[in-house]
Amino acid sequence: MGLVIVASYNVDANPVDFAEGMPNLGIIISEIFVLESLIDDLKYIPTALWAMLETLQMAFIGTVIGVTIGLPLSMLAARNLNSKFVYAPTRALLAIIRTFPSILWALLFVIMVGLGPYAGVLAIVMYTIGFVTKLQYESIETIDSDPMDAVSSIGVSKFQLIRYVVLPESASHLLGQILYMFDYNVRQTSILGIVGAGGIGFFIINYIKFFEYGKAAIFMLIVLITVLAIDWISVKVRDKYIIKSQHGMEVKTK
Amino acid sequence: MTETPSFSLISTNKIIQMNDVWTSYDSKSFALSGVNLSIDRGTNYAIVGQSGSGKSTLLKLMNGMMIPSKGTIKMDYQTPNMNNKTFKKMMHTIGYIPQSLGLVKNISVLDNILIGALPRLSTMQSILKQFPEHEIQEAKRILKLVGLSGKESRKAYMISGGEKRRVAIARALMQKPTILLADEIVSELDHVTAREIMDLILDAQKKMNLTAIMVHHDMALALEYANRVAVMKEGKKILEIGVEGDSIVDFQAGDMGIEEIMEMYNTDAKE
Ligand SMILES: Nc1ncnc2c1ncn2[C@@H]1O[C@H](COP(=O)(O)OP(=O)(O)OP(=O)(O)O)[C@@H](O)[C@H]1O
Ligand SMILES: [Mg+2]
């Protein structure tokens, strides 16, 4: 609590400002519900849906590419698969990538490749690489060492060890993490538009700039519904496939 | 601790030799202190001894998973070391069944057995999981041999303890091994199943001209199945016995007095 007060003081967040701002929220809400403008705003639902679809596509492509690059990096970063000379530099590189929040990557790519969804996808790719690898190499390191040792003792190659022991034994964890990453990336992509990196956030920020709160609200509502839907679906998928197979993993040879 | 000749002079075909081997897991104590071993090709060699006496450590040294801190080991005239390219080739044909079995839990019984054939696959074949038809047929033959018919598509975590042992044996046989290292694979089983599995290994051994080194908990079982039995205590080999049929043909005492040895034999046999 004390920390919150100190932190607020530092960023100049005065509770009085917040209290004075409250009536503004009332004005915004009342503006949204003016009937004629509400009907007018509803016409924007198709546009909002298209923007949301673009956001989903960006999040999906970003997650897929990010995981495709990230998974091999996780294998290199896992301590139980590599010597120090391999995992230490890989981990350092990943730690550097991880220090940037997605919005900063977006800004960087907007500068490099220009405005639009392309920059947004690249930002999601980078963020995913930094984030998902950490989850993945940590779960690879928790794999039971017994099958690893037994199969290594046959003298198989590193590829074969990964293909026949590491992936099967960690698949349910890895899939769960990828699903979680996609879920998270949808939320992130929704705000990347703020810096001009495409997606639905671009519309929201512009409507707010021009005081079109009604339209902004419609767009935000679409984001809310989509995120809730994806959340619900991923919980269902996780329950059905992943929790079940993890249950099996607990039945150990002892 | 001199290697008494009698047996070893007859055959010069030594497949495993250990010379004054010392090793430790930490700096405080030695898991093995000065072990000498010499095993003829085709022998069924048993290692017995109390818990913590260094039996598992001996096997880990033989397949290069561990390296001695002092002394020399030769496996078919090569020094075991899993990080050495030449020895890695030899590991292809050393079937090692650890005490924990080391099955991959989330893949099927048949896939676990096929792992034994991985050294014979190209990188591309193994990534695409394309085992040649003759390897699949061989895996199915071994599956039947170890008594697992009908269980081939079960996930490895969904079978019984005895069945898990059979899978581990099948994986080792799939390697087309010349040496089999098995760590207490029948210790926790009932007598009937234990004998069934031992007969199976003995049979495979005769057909494939295997050298088998098996750690046992039960001295009686070791004497029944092995040609030679080594007794370990506190990191030392205290005794080696040669067996022919029902009789002991050769008796090499190490550091211990005969009374102590007989006492140990009796307690082990009773268990
Ligand atoms: N991974 C390890 N780390 C440290 N010490 C170990 C490890 N494995 C074994 N030891 C020690 O080395 C010694 C020999 O162990 P080893 O596993 O070879 O015994 P064992 O004869 O196989 O016993 P058991 O019958 O219980 O399997 C023991 O004192 C044990 O405590
Ligand atoms: Mg042991």
Side-chain angles (χ1 to χ4, degrees):
Chain A
M1 186 62 202
L3 217 66
V4 173
I5 294 169
V6 173
S8 331
Y9 185 78
N10 258 334
V11 295
D12 235 346
N14 193 330
V16 181
D17 281 350
F18 186 69
E20 280 174 356
M22 284 311 266
N24 290 347
L25 194 63
I27 296 169
I28 291 170
I29 290 169
S30 65
E31 262 180 47
I32 291 171
F33 289 104
V34 172
L35 197 62
E36 57 268 39
S37 76
L38 184 68
I39 291 167
D40 188 45
D41 291 341
L42 288 179
K43 288 190 208 135
Y44 284 83
I45 287 180
T47 323
L49 287 175
W50 273 115
M52 194 65 229
L53 189 68
E54 187 190 58
T55 308
L56 284 174
Q57 283 174 325
M58 286 167 63
F60 183 75
I61 296 169
T63 310
V64 169
I65 298 176
V67 168
T68 311
I69 300 171
L71 196 57
L73 286 172
S74 322
M75 298 293 167
L76 291 176
R79 275 181 297 204
N80 53 348
L81 286 176
N82 302 283
S83 71
K84 198 176 177 137
F85 302 103
V86 178
Y87 72 71
T90 314
R91 276 169 185 239
L93 175 74
L94 292 171
I96 293 168
I97 293 176
R98 216 167 30 245
T99 52
F100 278 45
S102 56
I103 198 91
L104 223 60
W105 281 116
L107 207 59
L108 199 72
F109 285 120
V110 164
I111 296 166
M112 282 166 63
V113 302
L115 291 168
Y118 188 44
V121 169
L122 289 175
I124 293 298
V125 167
M126 291 311 287
Y127 188 82
T128 303
I129 291 174
F131 198 79
V132 89
T133 45
K134 185 165 164 63
L135 297 176
Q136 297 195 327
Y137 69 67
E138 277 172 2
S139 50
I140 290 168
E141 284 173 357
T142 62
I143 294 178
D144 191 357
S145 63
D146 293 341
M148 296 274 273
D149 290 347
V151 176
S152 303
S153 82
I154 297 172
V156 299
S157 69
K158 183 77 59 73
F159 268 126
Q160 291 174 328
L161 191 68
I162 289 172
R163 175 73 180 77
Y164 292 88
V165 184
V166 176
L167 289 180
E169 296 293 78
S170 60
S172 63
H173 286 275
L174 301 188
L175 286 175
Q177 287 155 358
I178 292 168
L179 216 61
Y180 169 75
M181 199 68 227
F182 174 64
D183 195 338
Y184 192 68
N185 280 345
V186 172
R187 290 161 218 237
Q188 293 206 89
T189 315
S190 305
I191 59 156
L192 290 186
I194 291 172
V195 295
I200 200 165
F202 182 69
F203 291 87
I204 296 173
I205 195 74
N206 276 309
Y207 289 136
I208 290 175
K209 255 188 218 156
F210 296 105
F211 307 107
E212 306 230 38
Y213 296 125
K215 296 195 184 83
I218 299 268
F219 279 68
M220 285 194 224
L221 201 66
I222 297 286
V223 172
L224 183 78
I225 292 168
T226 313
V227 167
L228 283 176
I230 289 175
D231 225 38
W232 185 77
I233 293 168
S234 64
V235 166
K236 285 278 160 217
V237 171
R238 242 174 283 194
D239 280 357
K240 187 143 189 232
Y241 297 101
I242 295 167
I243 303 289
K244 201 166 76 183
S245 60
Q246 274 177 356
H247 205 74
M249 285 177 70
E250 281 165 18
V251 187
K252 286 182 65 173
T253 348
K254 272 283 143 72
Chain B
M1 241 186 293
T2 43
E3 284 296 320
T4 341
S6 71
F7 211 81
S8 42
L9 267 185
I10 302 163
S11 164
T12 50
N13 197 3
K14 298 289 178 200
I15 191 163
I16 299 172
Q17 283 189 296
M18 284 197 177
N19 207 336
D20 191 28
V21 167
W22 295 67
T23 191
S24 63
Y25 288 93
D26 47 50
S27 51
K28 288 181 211 107
S29 61
F30 284 99
L32 292 179
S33 31
V35 174
N36 293 296
L37 276 183
S38 174
I39 301 175
D40 285 335
R41 202 177 292 274
T43 310
N44 192 331
Y45 196 91
I47 303 170
V48 297
Q50 291 163 353
S51 182
S53 58
K55 306 180 297 290
S56 299
T57 308
L58 267 178
L59 295 194
K60 284 185 225 164
L61 284 166
M62 287 179 189
N63 72 359
M65 307 279 284
M66 269 179 84
I67 298 197
S69 37
K70 188 174 162 247
T72 54
I73 305 174
K74 293 287 175 199
M75 298 287 284
D76 222 353
Y77 309 104
Q78 286 188 51
T79 306
N81 178 351
M82 70 174 302
N83 297 317
N84 175 303
K85 280 239 162 62
T86 355
F87 189 73
K88 217 169 165 179
K89 279 228 177 66
M90 182 160 183
M91 289 170 92
H92 297 344
T93 56
I94 298 179
Y96 170 60
I97 308 170
Q99 211 162 350
S100 58
L101 303 177
L103 299 184
V104 184
K105 294 175 212 68
N106 290 314
I107 66 176
S108 70
V109 164
L110 188 69
D111 286 349
N112 264 289
I113 298 174
L114 281 167
I115 283 179
L118 283 179
R120 302 192 286 269
L121 257 62
S122 69
T123 307
M124 212 54 208
Q125 280 175 320
S126 44
I127 286 174
L128 299 175
K129 218 181 141 195
Q130 278 178 342
F131 286 86
E133 191 51 36
H134 69 270
E135 298 288 11
I136 295 172
Q137 289 313 320
E138 175 68 1
K140 286 185 174 160
R141 188 186 68 80
I142 294 176
L143 187 105
K144 220 181 255 149
L145 183 80
V146 299
L148 284 171
S149 309
K151 300 270 161 66
E152 60 184 71
S153 49
R154 284 273 187 95
K155 288 273 156 63
Y157 66 80
M158 292 200 294
I159 54 177
S160 77
E163 287 165 343
K164 280 177 186 153
R165 281 170 176 75
R166 290 168 199 265
V167 177
I169 293 166
R171 178 179 66 193
L173 293 180
M174 194 67 197
Q175 286 176 252
K176 301 197 164 96
T178 52
I179 299 172
L180 184 73
L181 308 173
D183 200 344
E184 299 208 33
I185 51 171
V186 296
S187 296
E188 289 162 33
L189 299 176
D190 60 276
H191 279 273
V192 179
T193 318
R195 282 189 164 64
E196 225 175 271
I197 288 182
M198 284 309 294
D199 287 337
L200 192 100
I201 289 177
L202 213 64
D203 204 44
Q205 197 191 357
K206 278 180 199 139
K207 279 187 193 133
M208 301 167 88
N209 190 28
L210 259 177
T211 307
I213 293 94
M214 302 186 72
V215 171
H216 286 298
H217 187 71
D218 183 355
M219 180 64 138
L221 197 79
L223 288 171
E224 185 181 334
Y225 282 95
N227 313 117
R228 296 192 76 76
V229 181
V231 181
M232 297 289 299
K233 189 182 184 183
E234 289 164 8
K236 291 193 173 75
K237 189 183 91 178
I238 53 166
L239 173 68
E240 188 170 325
I241 305 166
V243 190
E244 249 171 49
D246 286 340
S247 50
I248 289 173
V249 292
D250 172 18
F251 203 90
Q252 303 171 9
D255 288 354
M256 293 186 92
I258 192 83
E259 283 154 37
E260 225 174 333
I261 290 162
M262 288 321 288
E263 189 188 319
M264 230 191 98
Y265 168 75
N266 287 334
T267 48
D268 267 348
K270 260 182 249 154
E271 269 178 41

